[in-house]
Structures are given as C-alpha cells and as structure tokens.
Amino acid sequence: MKHIKSIIAVFVLLFTLTQCNSQTKKTTTMETANATQTATKEIIVDVRSVEEWNEDGHADCSVNFPLDQFADRIEELKKYDKVILVCRSGNRAGIAKGQLQAAGYTMEIENLGPWQNVTCKTK
C-alpha cells in the first residue's frame, strides 16, 4: 500500500512540475512577444521644445521630453533597455545623455544627433 501511495505521489509531483514548466514557457513567450512589440524596450526621446516638436516636425516613433523638463521625466525611462536621444543638432541630446549618466542610469544611451536621423521601425 505504501508503495502505491509513493508511486501516486511521484506522478502527482511530476504532473505539477510539468504544469508549472509549461506555464513558465507560456509567460516567457508572451514576454518575448511583448518586448518585440515595444521595440525591444527601446525609446526615442526628442528633447527639443514643444514648439519645435510641433512646428518643425518630429519622428512619429519618438516622444517629446523637452530638455527643460527632462530631469523631471528621467524616472519614466527606467523601464527601457536603450534610450536614443535626439534634438535639432545633437547638442541638447548630449546634455540629456549627461543628465541620465549623472543620475546613475546604466541602460544603453545613444545621442543620435538631429531628429531627422531617426528611422522608425515598422511593426
């Protein structure tokens, strides 16, 4: 009788582990798909003023964090693996990069220069 209970316990344990493992695989696949949808956790930040953003144009795949507000919005960038910074010439993007580095952020940070250098990825 003990032998049968042991065999049943082993099957229950194996079944439970198999279910946990398949659930983990589903989650991993979903996370990978989500990462792909969010451009592999990459964001393009244009640090020009709101007026420049609206009047001079911008890359559709970028967001606008004006340099004079950038320090207050740095926290929003934590969830990204890579931050690409642009402006009109690259000067303000360089200042924003320095602010990220001074704040201790370790993600990949790139100054792409003028916003016209941005190539939006199609989904």
Side-chain angles (χ1 to χ4, degrees):
M1 185 70 168
K2 285 185 180 180
H3 186 65
I4 292 174
K5 286 183 181 179
S6 296
I7 292 173
I8 291 172
V10 168
F11 279 116
V12 169
L13 180 61
L14 287 173
F15 178 76
T16 304
L17 290 174
T18 304
Q19 292 303 312
C20 289
N21 190 28
S22 69
Q23 184 64 29
T24 301
K25 287 180 183 175
K26 288 177 188 173
T27 303
T28 304
T29 302
M30 222 180 318
E31 287 171 359
T32 303
N34 288 341
T36 302
Q37 290 174 353
T38 59
T40 59
K41 296 187 181 183
E42 178 179 285
I43 187 169
I44 301 168
V45 181
D46 189 323
V47 296
R48 294 176 298 146
S49 69
V50 174
E51 294 77 25
E52 289 174 287
W53 166 269
N54 289 326
E55 295 172 15
D56 297 339
H58 59 270
D60 290 336
C61 57
S62 64
V63 297
N64 184 224
F65 288 12
L67 186 60
D68 63 349
Q69 302 166 16
F70 188 78
D72 296 331
R73 303 207 50 198
I74 285 177
E75 185 72 21
E76 297 174 48
L77 301 175
K78 274 186 173 180
K79 61 185 172 187
Y80 296 97
D81 299 320
K82 181 175 183 179
V83 176
I84 299 171
L85 300 161
V86 295
C87 59
R88 187 181 64 201
S89 66
N91 187 42
R92 287 175 282 181
I95 294 169
K97 181 177 180 177
Q99 288 180 1
L100 279 169
Q101 291 169 330
Y105 285 87
T106 58
M107 80 275 282
E108 184 179 350
I109 307 166
E110 179 181 353
N111 177 349
L112 195 58
W115 70 269
Q116 293 92 338
N117 290 342
V118 173
T119 302
C120 295
K121 297 176 184 173
T122 57
K123 291 184 180 180

